[in-house]
Amino acid sequence: MKLCRTRDGRIGLVGPAGAVDVTSALGVLPSARYPYPTQDALVANLDMLRPLFAEIARTGAMIEPGTPLDSPIANPGKLVAAPVNYQRHLDEVREQADLHHNNAAHMRQIQEIGLFLKAGSSLIGPGEPVRIVSDRRVDHEIELAVVIGRGGKDIPAARALEHVAGYTIGLDMTVRGPEDRSFRKSLDTFTVLGPWLVTTDEIPDPGALALELRVNDTVRQQANTRDLVLDVPALIAFASSYYTLHPGDVILTGTPEGVGPVQPGDVIDARIEGLGSMRVDVVAFSAAQEVLNG
Ligand code: MN
């Protein structure tokens, strides 16, 4: 099942002919009162919603083609990210040490440096442009994004995939520089998820998916998730040994080699096997520039 979310708040069940509006199924979601649960209600109730989505889709109206899409996950409790999780990307970071300000912490293996968190306010979908600071280098990073379906703590790798709701394409946009990762990667619009959530029944093995990112139709990144240092089950085990995971939490699994800068006016095309593709515009964002320049 492929589920998209439009910028005006509709949920679409994506099929070969397009997306059908299945928003009315959300009426069965349990009502919540303050303080609201810190999880994504759609993902937490996906098993209940799934047959309703299918039923409504049989007679529902099509969502107009080209409708701008938001992140398929509306309310992730946290965005967990793997820093360097492909060996060839680590090699590339070590070869370009000056670009990383010779920060030794950027050049060690994931098992030593752990994970980091991105701000939820950085999250957008492909229907909104990435806004970049024009006088700092901003790089693209394509990543397989894992959406947690069933929460847990200390989840063993052997059972980790049972805790996954699905997968989507992630862009972990990054200002290069000496500051902390969470600072440089949490600017507004610096986490893009899309174009839709693909549930696990369509992706039985997340460990053999081809990824490709183009900028203005030039291939920049091309890899396969089989080359992950910590694969999806190992990452879930690692993350959940430190953080309790909740439905809707997202784990960005790290980017492969080939990261490079983007400029205002660029168009990023990101695709992952089995998940589809998305095009994301890059525009200038002058307000944040002044803040970063101090
Ligand atoms: Mn990344």
Side-chain angles (χ1 to χ4, degrees), residues 100-101 103 106 136-137 174-185 187 291-294:
H100 297 269
H101 295 254
N103 186 335
H106 290 187
R136 296 284 305 261
R137 174 171 161 165
T174 304
V175 174
R176 291 290 164 219
E179 303 96 333
D180 187 80
R181 277 193 178 86
S182 64
F183 179 76
R184 293 181 289 106
K185 291 168 170 278
L187 281 68
V291 175
L292 279 167
N293 287 343

Side-chain angles (χ1 to χ4, degrees), residues 81-83 116 141 143 172 174 185 254-255:
F116 65 95
E141 297 190 352
E143 314 199 357
D172 173 22
T174 304
K185 291 168 170 278
T255 200

Side-chain angles (χ1 to χ4, degrees), residues 3 36 38 70 98 121 152 169 198 219 227 229 269 283:
L3 294 168
Y36 302 109
T38 53
D70 206 333
D98 54 331
S121 52
I169 304 170
V198 181
V219 176
D227 295 321
V229 175
D269 182 305
V283 301

